[in-house]
C-alpha cells in the first residue's frame, strides 16, 4: 500500500527556504525569563537533542491531565462541600507546568546552541504546544466544577484558547514573523501560582463571590475570552492586513 503524502513538493521547497523569525516584547520574557533560560541551557549536555527537551515538557502536561482526570474525571469534585482531589495533586501540577514552561523556553536555545535548529524542530515544538494549549485549561476546570463552569462554557473557553493559538500561527504564515503573545508568560505563571494557592488554602476559595455575585469561574472566563477578543485578535488581523494588503512592514 502506497503511503499518503502529507507534504507537497511546494511544501518541501518551503522548508528549504524557511527561517525562524520571532518577536517577543513581553517584559517578563525579555528581562527575566530569557536571561534565565540562556544560563540554564548551558547546564544541558550538547548531546541532548532539543526535541527530547520538547517532548519531556509535553509529557509533563500529559501527566497533569491524567493525574487530575483520575481524581476528577467528570469535573464534579469541586461541586462537593469538600473537594475530593488531594492537595498534593495541585502542587505536582504547578511544578509540572513550570517545568514545561521553562523547557519550552529552552528547547529552541538548545537547538541554536547545538546547530540543530530547523523547521521540523519548530513544527514538532509547536505541534505539541497545540495539544498542551488544550490540556492546561482543563486543570483549571477542576478548580471550579460544573456548578460554576458548565460544560458548554468550558467548551467556549477551550475554543478561545485554540483560536488564539491558531490565529498566531496564521499571522506567522502570512507575515513570516511569529509575534509571541504577552499572555503566554503571564498565563503560565498565573496557572502555576493558582495551583500553589490551591494547595495551601484549598480549592473552596475559588467559589467565593467577589462582587455583583460574580464567581471566580466568571472572572476566569472574562480574562481568557476578553483578552483574546480585545488584545490579541484585532492586532493579529491588523498585522496580516498591513503585510498582505498594504505591503507595509509591521
Amino acid at each position: 500500500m502506497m503511503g499518503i503524502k502529507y507534504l507537497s513538493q511546494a511544501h518541501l521547497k518551503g522548508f528549504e527556504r524557511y527561517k525562524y523569525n520571532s518577536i517577543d516584547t513581553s517584559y517578563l520574557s525579555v528581562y527575566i525569563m530569557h536571561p534565565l533560560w540562556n544560563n540554564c541551557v548551558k547546564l544541558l549536555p550538547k548531546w541532548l537533542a532539543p526535541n527530547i527537551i520538547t517532548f519531556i515538557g509535553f509529557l509533563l502536561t500529559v501527566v497533569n491531565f491524567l493525574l487530575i482526570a483520575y481524581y476528577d474525571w467528570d469535573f464534579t469534585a469541586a461541586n462537593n462541600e469538600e473537594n475530593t482531589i488531594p492537595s498534593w495533586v495541585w502542587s505536582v501540577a504547578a511544578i509540572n507546568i513550570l517545568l514545561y514552561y521553562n523547557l519550552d523556553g529552552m528547547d529552541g536555545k538548545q537547538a541554536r546552541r547545538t546547530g540543530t535548529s530547523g523547521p521540523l524542530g519548530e513544527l514538532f515544538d509547536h505541534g505539541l504546544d497545540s495539544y498542551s494549549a488544550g490540556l492546561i485549561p482543563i486543570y483549571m476546570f477542576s478548580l471550579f466544577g460544573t456548578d460554576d463552569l458548565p460544560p458548554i462554557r468550558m467548551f467556549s473557553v477551550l475554543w478561545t484558547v485554540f483560536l488564539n493559538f491558531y490565529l498566531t500561527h496564521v499571522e506567522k504564515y502570512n507575515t513570516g514573523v511569529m509575534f509571541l503573545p504577552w499572555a503566554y508568560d503571564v498565563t503560565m505563571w498565573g496557572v502555576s501560582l493558582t495551583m500553589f494557592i490551591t494547595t495551601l488554602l484549598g480549592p473552596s476559595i475559588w467559589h467565593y463571590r467577589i462582587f455583583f455575585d460574580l464567581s471566580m469561574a466568571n472572572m476566569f472566563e472574562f480574562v481568557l475570552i476578553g483578552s483574546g477578543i480585545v488584545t490579541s485578535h484585532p492586532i493579529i488581523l491588523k498585522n496580516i492586513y498591513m503585510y498582505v494588503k498594504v505591503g507595509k512592514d509591521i
Side-chain angles (χ1 to χ4, degrees):
M1 182 181 294
M2 295 182 61
I4 299 175
K5 291 185 177 180
Y6 291 97
L7 299 177
S8 66
Q9 287 299 320
H11 290 141
L12 294 175
K13 289 181 180 178
F15 270 88
E16 296 175 359
R17 299 190 301 269
Y18 177 83
K19 183 179 180 181
Y20 181 70
N21 186 13
S22 68
I23 295 178
D24 189 353
T25 58
S26 166
Y27 294 113
L28 173 60
S29 181
V30 171
Y31 295 108
I32 298 177
M33 300 314 302
H34 278 293
L36 174 65
W37 295 332
N38 286 333
N39 286 302
C40 287
V41 76
K42 296 176 184 177
L43 303 176
L44 300 177
K46 286 195 172 183
W47 53 260
L48 183 61
N51 285 351
I52 297 297
I53 300 174
T54 302
F55 191 60
I56 291 173
F58 167 71
L59 287 180
L60 292 174
T61 67
V62 175
V63 168
N64 277 3
F65 174 78
L66 295 176
L67 184 61
I68 294 177
Y70 175 78
Y71 287 102
D72 187 23
W73 65 274
D74 58 353
F75 302 109
T76 59
N79 296 342
N80 304 317
E81 187 173 342
E82 184 173 344
N83 196 307
T84 55
I85 301 178
S87 60
W88 62 266
V89 170
W90 303 115
S91 289
V92 171
I95 293 170
N96 283 347
I97 290 172
L98 281 179
L99 288 174
Y100 158 74
Y101 168 55
N102 283 279
L103 291 174
D104 189 45
M106 292 167 57
D107 54 7
K109 296 182 183 298
Q110 176 74 348
R112 289 183 286 276
R113 177 174 173 246
T114 58
T116 56
S117 180
L120 289 178
E122 184 185 351
L123 180 64
F124 184 71
D125 183 1
H126 292 187
L128 293 183
D129 284 345
S130 68
Y131 287 101
S132 296
L135 294 177
I136 292 176
I138 293 176
Y139 315 153
M140 301 296 290
F141 297 156
S142 284
L143 291 177
F144 307 121
T146 54
D147 286 348
D148 279 358
L149 197 60
I152 187 63
R153 284 161 52 194
M154 294 182 184
F155 188 71
S156 299
V157 170
L158 275 176
W159 267 106
T160 300
V161 173
F162 275 125
L163 187 61
N164 288 341
F165 188 89
Y166 178 75
L167 287 179
T168 299
H169 286 78
V170 170
E171 180 184 32
K172 166 69 180 298
Y173 181 81
N174 283 279
T175 66
V177 180
M178 171 71 76
F179 290 86
L180 301 175
W182 286 30
Y184 173 68
D185 299 283
V186 175
T187 299
M188 291 296 99
W189 280 104
V191 171
S192 298
L193 182 60
T194 300
M195 299 297 182
F196 278 124
I197 292 174
T198 304
T199 300
L200 297 174
L201 303 179
S204 60
I205 63 171
W206 309 117
H207 292 286
Y208 288 127
R209 264 46 181 176
I210 309 172
F211 50 84
F212 301 115
D213 201 35
L214 291 176
S215 67
M216 288 295 201
N218 295 141
M219 299 300 294
F220 173 69
E221 291 176 276
F222 177 78
V223 170
L224 267 183
I225 298 176
S227 64
I229 294 174
V230 175
T231 67
S232 178
H233 303 169
I235 295 173
I236 290 173
L237 294 175
K238 172 182 172 292
N239 286 339
I240 294 175
Y241 174 80
M242 295 296 288
Y243 190 88
V244 177
K245 298 295 183 181
V246 183
K248 178 181 178 181
D249 290 338
I250 47 181

